[in-house]
Amino acid sequence: MKYCTNCGRQLADDEVCTCRQQAQPQAPNQTQDNNAQADNAAQQGQFNGQPQGSAHGQFNGQPQGSAQSQAVDNFTQQVSAAGQQLQNDKNVASIITFYKGLVKKPAQAAADFVKNANMASGFIFIGLFAIVEVVLSVVYLLSSVIGSIGGFGFSFYPASFFEGIFSGIVGEAVKVLILAAVILVVLNAVQKDKKVTFAQTLSAACLYDAVYLPIILVAAIIDIIPFQFFGNVSSWLHTFAGVVGYVSIFFGVRAIEEDDNKLPLVCGLAFLATAIGSTIVNAIF
């Protein structure tokens, strides 16, 4: 038996003790791995180049309070946009429901539209009138061009063309607003218990355009056909559209008034004031 002179461990006859080799320093590669692990541990205390102590209070280089405030603002904007989109969808849905009702029960459709009135739906109809006014102006221009082919003279003045569109849109918008205002004042003056809102009277005033516009658009398209008979048809449709428009206003006002005996007076004063206002607006423009 023999023993290691360094550690004292008992060795076999041909055994060589390895205690000195185990006590030597680690290999270079292992040392580098340990250093890399230490670096990674140190980097865990940093975020986007910031020390660990300040990383808890910051996010992407911004203070924590500012990031939270920005997140709240973004969420509020998203909720507001979603609510606005839902409201717009409701307005469009009410208009679609109104036009569907005109086919089966026009009087009831007009009454329901005014009872469930909101300002947006009324102004949507004013915007639709503006669009139809532009379309009609283009259609009449095409009709004049087609007529000139048959030997009639044709001249186009852009300034007058666009001025006519502008005056038509402004004039109709003013007429609708005057009609709504007069209905509001007269109804609230003659009624004791039942008060109406401007949204309701605006919806009632817009019923004329709501019914009138689709009919005259069809009439304008028919008027393009270069035959006298179709010109007569177009004229008849204009008359029909006007009558139906005024009747629709009548049923709309009836839905928000409390005494049918006063309805002729209310509508008569409203139409008279509208005619006077339209004359003044046409004189200005």
Side-chain angles (χ1 to χ4, degrees):
M1 286 291 180
K2 64 177 182 178
Y3 299 89
C4 176
T5 59
N6 182 46
C7 65
R9 187 171 66 86
Q10 185 178 359
L11 303 174
D13 292 340
D14 298 328
E15 182 181 2
V16 177
C17 185
T18 60
C19 63
R20 291 181 180 276
Q21 296 179 357
Q22 294 177 353
Q24 291 179 355
Q26 295 177 345
N29 291 338
Q30 184 176 0
T31 302
Q32 292 177 359
D33 293 339
N34 292 338
N35 291 337
Q37 293 177 358
D39 291 341
N40 291 335
Q43 290 176 359
Q44 290 178 356
Q46 296 181 347
F47 187 76
N48 288 339
Q50 299 294 335
Q52 183 179 9
S54 62
H56 293 291
Q58 296 184 350
F59 183 76
N60 288 336
Q62 294 182 353
Q64 183 178 11
S66 176
Q68 292 177 349
S69 177
Q70 183 65 32
V72 172
D73 291 341
N74 292 337
F75 177 77
T76 303
Q77 293 176 1
Q78 292 175 357
V79 172
S80 177
Q84 185 64 36
Q85 182 63 36
L86 180 61
Q87 182 65 29
N88 291 337
D89 292 342
K90 288 182 178 179
N91 296 331
V92 174
S94 66
I95 294 175
I96 294 175
T97 301
F98 166 73
Y99 278 115
K100 288 181 178 179
L102 284 179
V103 179
K104 296 180 179 180
K105 298 180 179 180
Q108 188 62 43
D112 292 341
F113 182 75
V114 174
K115 288 180 181 179
N116 303 321
N118 58 70
M119 296 290 289
S121 297
F123 285 110
I124 287 175
F125 275 126
I126 295 178
L128 289 176
F129 176 85
I131 296 174
V132 173
E133 181 70 19
V134 174
V135 173
L136 289 177
S137 298
V138 174
V139 169
Y140 290 137
L141 178 63
L142 293 176
S143 178
S144 299
V145 172
I146 294 174
S148 66
I149 297 176
F152 299 99
F154 171 75
S155 58
F156 174 68
Y157 300 96
S160 300
F161 176 76
F162 291 108
E163 181 181 355
I165 295 176
F166 175 77
S167 62
I169 294 173
V170 172
E172 185 64 22
V174 171
K175 184 181 75 173
V176 170
L177 294 176
I178 292 175
L179 182 59
V182 173
I183 295 175
L184 176 69
V185 172
V186 175
L187 276 181
N188 286 331
V190 300
Q191 296 183 155
K192 297 180 180 180
D193 301 325
K194 188 176 182 179
K195 299 300 180 182
V196 300
T197 64
F198 183 72
Q200 291 175 324
T201 59
L202 178 63
S203 297
C206 288
L207 286 174
Y208 182 89
D209 286 338
V211 177
Y212 182 79
L213 292 178
I215 299 175
I216 64 168
L217 187 58
V218 174
I221 296 174
I222 293 176
D223 196 34
I224 297 179
I225 303 175
F227 293 99
Q228 181 63 36
F229 172 77
F230 293 101
N232 293 332
V233 173
S234 177
S235 178
W236 299 335
L237 287 176
H238 274 81
T239 302
F240 173 76
V243 173
V244 174
Y246 284 117
V247 172
S248 298
I249 293 178
F250 178 86
F251 284 110
V253 174
R254 187 181 183 184
I256 54 176
E257 56 84 33
E258 63 184 7
D259 187 359
D260 286 349
N261 293 322
K262 297 176 181 178
L263 187 57
L265 174 64
V266 173
C267 291
L269 291 176
F271 295 151
L272 176 62
T274 303
I276 296 174
S278 298
T279 302
I280 296 174
V281 171
N282 292 334
I284 294 176
F285 292 98

